[in-house]
Amino acid sequence: MGVCRSPLSDEARVALTMAMRDSGKVLEWDLPGPVVDKHSTGGVGDCVSLTLGPAIAALGAYVPMLSGRGLGHTGGTLDKLEAIPGLATEMDEPRFRRVVADAGCALVAASDGIAPADRRLYAIRDVTSTVESIDLITASILSKKLAGGVGPLILDVKVGSGAFMTSLAEAEKLARSLVTTANGAAGPAAALVTDMNQPCVPSVGNALEIMEVMRALTDPEEDSIVSVLTAELGGELLRLAGMAESGREGAVEILDSLRSGAAAERFGRMVAAKGGPSDFVERWRDRLPAAPVIREVMASRSGTVTAIDCHALGMAVVRLGGGRMRKGDLIDPSVGISGVVRIGAAVEEGDPLALVHGATESAAETLASELSASFSVADGGVSQPTLVHGTLA
């Protein structure tokens, strides 16, 4: 509460972050390439970590990514991966190290020994209405990342209807705090402030997002949101790691790793090493669970899609059983929403705006009828939202 009332100086925030990092085990790596990482502040349909990690690994860096589970309207990377049959996201340190060394990347759950002070402080914040403190958010994020033993770090700070930060000013404030603190604690780091007024991929839900990941890895559309973000974030990370002269040069290399299939090969290697199917890249369409009921979300009028309530889409997935409101809630990996139209799309009355994938007829039909209100349709045209609002380094 004191931190909320009197924000920390840069030096104090670094000291808090390092103390939280050092409250538990700090990993060290001895690998033949740079050890790097990426963090997103969370959004809807945000599966960029799952494309960026393998793309970076294919270029010779190593990505030991300690990831989290979904809570509330935002999905969790670990939940998405666990939609793949047999794949384990919790493993002991020796196995984690083997996967990283072999595949070049591994996205796993942090053990209890990683930054244990963060869990204690977060529990206190949850009951004292101090969750939204920029200083405490910064220390929470970075203490876990730095305990993973990584060097260069790229941060994706989301802003918009599907993000925790809905205003650009607040998102920029958080990005600045994260970069300043990371550079002061370990460095180097940079942040991109990116748009979350529509999903990063046209699907929301665990198995459905893995399908989008596989499309991006095996048949990339270079102008899609997920490909652009993977290239922009990955390019900047390559620059930080000294593997590219500039972020733009690095972005070209990232796209090359997607186009060539090298990133897909790394993803498949990681899946197999973590207990998933060895032929997942070739047979992913047959390997993922599918919901038994699909219903269309219909446009109530003709016009142009001018806005999407991403928060409502995320909460709809929770209501379907694909997310959790409390830690420990079980989830159904098959449910979700697919085919989400993009802002700027022209639609006619009765056209599908999205498809709801549900476990029961009643759940799918109820949400399909309700979700049409989450799409604003008006006369005239509208520009696509700016995808990258700025870069801080």
Side-chain angles (χ1 to χ4, degrees), residues 223-270:
D223 60 348
S224 69
I225 293 175
V226 66
S227 291
V228 172
L229 285 180
T230 300
E232 293 286 337
L233 291 161
E236 190 65 18
L237 187 51
L238 290 178
R239 182 192 69 79
L240 292 171
M243 298 174 67
E245 290 293 325
S246 66
R248 181 54 50 203
E249 177 186 299
V252 172
E253 294 186 39
I254 293 292
L255 287 174
D256 285 344
S257 75
L258 293 174
R259 281 191 298 256
S260 69
E265 189 275 334
R266 291 286 179 159
F267 187 87
R269 199 189 297 184
M270 178 186 72

Side-chain angles (χ1 to χ4, degrees), residues 34-311:
V35 179
V36 303
D37 203 356
K38 174 257 183 187
H39 178 78
S40 170
T41 57
V44 176
D46 179 12
C47 48
V48 174
S49 293
L50 295 172
T51 54
L52 188 147
I56 289 281
L59 295 169
Y62 292 84
V63 192
M65 193 178 294
L66 302 179
S67 300
R69 300 189 181 279
L71 190 64
H73 74 282
T74 61
T77 300
L78 300 182
D79 299 322
K80 296 167 192 178
L81 276 173
E82 287 175 350
I84 300 173
L87 186 144
T89 61
E90 299 189 18
M91 57 184 63
D92 59 27
E93 186 179 330
R95 185 179 177 190
F96 178 35
R97 290 183 178 278
R98 287 196 299 272
V99 176
V100 172
D102 176 59
C105 62
L107 294 85
V108 302
S111 70
D112 291 342
I114 295 291
D118 178 59
R119 284 190 298 278
R120 296 290 296 274
L121 289 173
Y122 195 91
I124 297 169
R125 289 166 57 202
D126 198 35
V127 297
T128 56
S129 299
T130 56
V131 171
E132 295 182 359
S133 164
I134 294 289
D135 291 326
L136 297 178
I137 291 171
T138 299
S140 177
I141 290 171
L142 293 180
S143 62
K144 295 190 290 290
K145 284 297 179 183
L146 298 180
V150 300
L153 174 65
I154 189 70
L155 298 144
D156 184 3
V157 180
K158 298 294 187 186
V159 60
S161 67
F164 288 111
M165 298 296 179
T166 57
S167 78
L168 184 57
E170 284 296 299
E172 289 175 341
K173 183 179 178 181
L174 175 58
R176 192 172 299 109
S177 176
L178 286 165
V179 171
T180 301
T181 306
N183 284 331
L192 270 63
V193 179
T194 67
D195 187 73
M196 184 35 67
N197 285 301
Q198 58 185 336
C200 295
V201 292
S203 295
V204 187
N206 299 300
L208 294 171
E209 289 186 47
I210 291 294
M211 293 180 187
E212 299 292 350
V213 167
M214 297 315 300
R215 292 185 184 102
L217 289 174
T218 58
D219 188 21
E221 297 178 10
E222 293 182 17
D223 60 348
S224 69
I225 293 175
V226 66
S227 291
V228 172
L229 285 180
T230 300
E232 293 286 337
L233 291 161
E236 190 65 18
L237 187 51
L238 290 178
R239 182 192 69 79
L240 292 171
M243 298 174 67
E245 290 293 325
S246 66
R248 181 54 50 203
E249 177 186 299
V252 172
E253 294 186 39
I254 293 292
L255 287 174
D256 285 344
S257 75
L258 293 174
R259 281 191 298 256
S260 69
E265 189 275 334
R266 291 286 179 159
F267 187 87
R269 199 189 297 184
M270 178 186 72
V271 167
K274 296 174 72 176
S278 60
D279 60 352
F280 186 73
V281 172
E282 296 77 24
R283 300 286 304 278
W284 59 269
R285 291 176 178 82
D286 304 329
R287 298 290 188 256
L288 292 166
V293 182
I294 300 176
R295 292 291 180 269
E296 292 182 335
V297 178
M298 301 289 197
S300 59
R301 57 160 292 180
S302 300
T304 301
V305 177
T306 58
I308 300 172
D309 186 345
C310 277
H311 185 275

